[in-house]
Amino acid sequence: QKEVEQNSGPLSVPEGAIASLNCTYSDRVSQSFFWYRQYSGKSPELIMSIYSNGDKEDGRFTAQLNKASQYVSLLIRDSQPSDSATYLCAVKTRYGNKLVFGAGTILRVKS
Amino acid sequence: DVKVTQSSRYLVKRTGEKVFLECVQDMDHENMFWYRQDPGLGLRLIYFSYDVKMKEKGDIPEGYSVSREKKERFSLILESASTNQTSMYLCASSLMDGYQETQYFGPGTRLLVL
C-alpha cells in the first residue's frame, strides 16, 4: 500500500462546476496535510494546508480532513480553465520533517 | 515572499559525468530538500538537510550526494550520471516550524543524461 494515494485522473469538469479531489494516507498518526498545484512544466505551489479535522476554506478552495477515515480532500468551487493542473496531496508523517507526496491528480476544466 | 532558486532550468549531460545542481533560498530556512519527479511516480525525496553540514538520506539516495556548507545553499551531486537519472529535480526549503512546517519549491531543473 502506498503511503499517500490519489486517483491519477484526469478528472474533467465543466467550467463553473465543483471539482473534488481526494487523497488517502496510510500513517494513522500523520498530523499535517498539504495540497499543491503544479502546472505543466512548473514546480509545485502550495494552495492549502490543514491540520485539524473538518473543513478549511480559502477563497474558492476548501480542504477537508477526516483523520478517522484517513482521507483529505480538496474542493474547488466555480472551477476555471486556469485551474487545469496536477494537484498533489502531501502528508507529513511522524518521521521527522519528511513530506510524502501522492502521485497527483490531473484536473481539466473545460470551457 | 519565499524565494528558492535553482542554478539551471535545463541541463544536458553525458553518462559518467559529474553533475552539480545548486539551490539557494533567501528566507533563512533551516530545512532544505532535494526531490526528483518522474511521470506516474510523483515526487520522491533524495536527500534533505536540517542544518549546515547536516544531511539525511531520503527515499532514493543511491547515486547522489549532497553538500550544505552555508545555510542558504544546498547542492545535489550526481557522482557519475546515468541515463536513469534523467528527471526533473526540485529543490525545496522550509522553516523548522513543527507540524505546520510548509515547504516552498524552486522552479526545477530538467536534467537529460545521454
Side-chain angles (χ1 to χ4, degrees):
Chain A
Q1 181 189 6
K2 292 183 180 178
E3 292 182 78
V4 179
E5 296 206 54
Q6 297 179 255
N7 188 321
S8 62
L11 172 66
S12 292
V13 300
E15 184 175 357
I18 296 175
S20 177
L21 304 161
N22 300 311
C23 172
T24 58
Y25 60 94
S26 61
D27 186 353
R28 181 171 293 277
V29 298
S30 297
Q31 292 184 297
S32 311
F33 308 86
F34 305 86
W35 283 100
Y36 285 83
R37 177 177 61 200
Q38 187 174 24
Y39 292 114
S40 181
K42 303 293 186 182
S43 62
E45 56 178 325
L46 181 71
I47 301 175
M48 296 278 291
S49 57
I50 187 166
Y51 312 108
S52 305
N53 275 330
D55 294 359
K56 180 181 177 183
E57 189 174 316
D58 184 1
R60 295 187 297 113
F61 298 98
T62 299
Q64 298 175 319
L65 175 60
N66 184 323
K67 290 187 177 181
S69 299
Q70 294 176 237
Y71 82 77
V72 56
S73 61
L74 180 70
L75 301 179
I76 306 174
R77 289 182 299 281
D78 188 24
S79 294
Q80 301 296 310
S82 59
D83 295 325
S84 297
T86 298
Y87 289 80
L88 303 173
C89 173
V91 177
K92 188 170 182 183
T93 69
R94 72 181 90 177
Y95 304 113
N97 299 330
K98 290 171 57 175
L99 274 185
V100 180
F101 285 84
T105 298
I106 298 169
L107 173 66
R108 293 183 182 150
V109 181
K110 298 184 177 181
S111 56
Chain B
D1 276 355
V2 175
K3 190 169 184 184
V4 181
T5 58
Q6 296 182 229
S7 51
S8 305
R9 292 300 305 275
Y10 302 95
L11 272 180
V12 180
K13 297 292 181 181
R14 297 215 173 268
T15 301
E17 281 192 74
K18 192 169 186 175
V19 182
F20 293 86
L21 303 181
E22 299 280 326
C23 175
V24 178
Q25 50 91 7
D26 66 356
M27 287 302 293
D28 203 33
H29 284 174
E30 292 90 354
N31 302 323
M32 297 189 75
F33 307 82
W34 275 107
Y35 295 89
R36 62 177 284 177
Q37 186 175 31
D38 302 287
L41 296 177
L43 276 82
R44 293 180 291 168
L45 182 64
I46 304 172
Y47 268 97
F48 65 102
S49 168
Y50 50 86
D51 201 353
V52 175
K53 296 193 185 294
M54 304 298 286
K55 61 184 179 184
E56 295 281 345
K57 292 181 180 179
D59 299 317
I60 51 164
E62 296 79 18
Y64 303 94
S65 61
V66 290
S67 172
R68 192 161 182 205
E69 296 297 318
K70 293 185 179 182
K71 190 175 186 179
E72 67 271 18
R73 188 179 298 270
F74 192 35
S75 302
L76 180 69
I77 303 151
L78 286 65
E79 297 291 343
S80 177
S82 63
T83 55
N84 62 14
Q85 292 178 309
T86 291
S87 186
M88 168 74 104
Y89 289 88
L90 289 159
C91 175
S93 73
S94 69
L95 269 173
M96 186 80 76
D97 195 19
Y99 71 93
Q100 295 193 20
E101 171 197 342
T102 299
Q103 291 188 20
Y104 298 91
F105 285 86
T109 296
R110 193 168 292 279
L111 173 66
L112 173 62
V113 182
L114 299 174

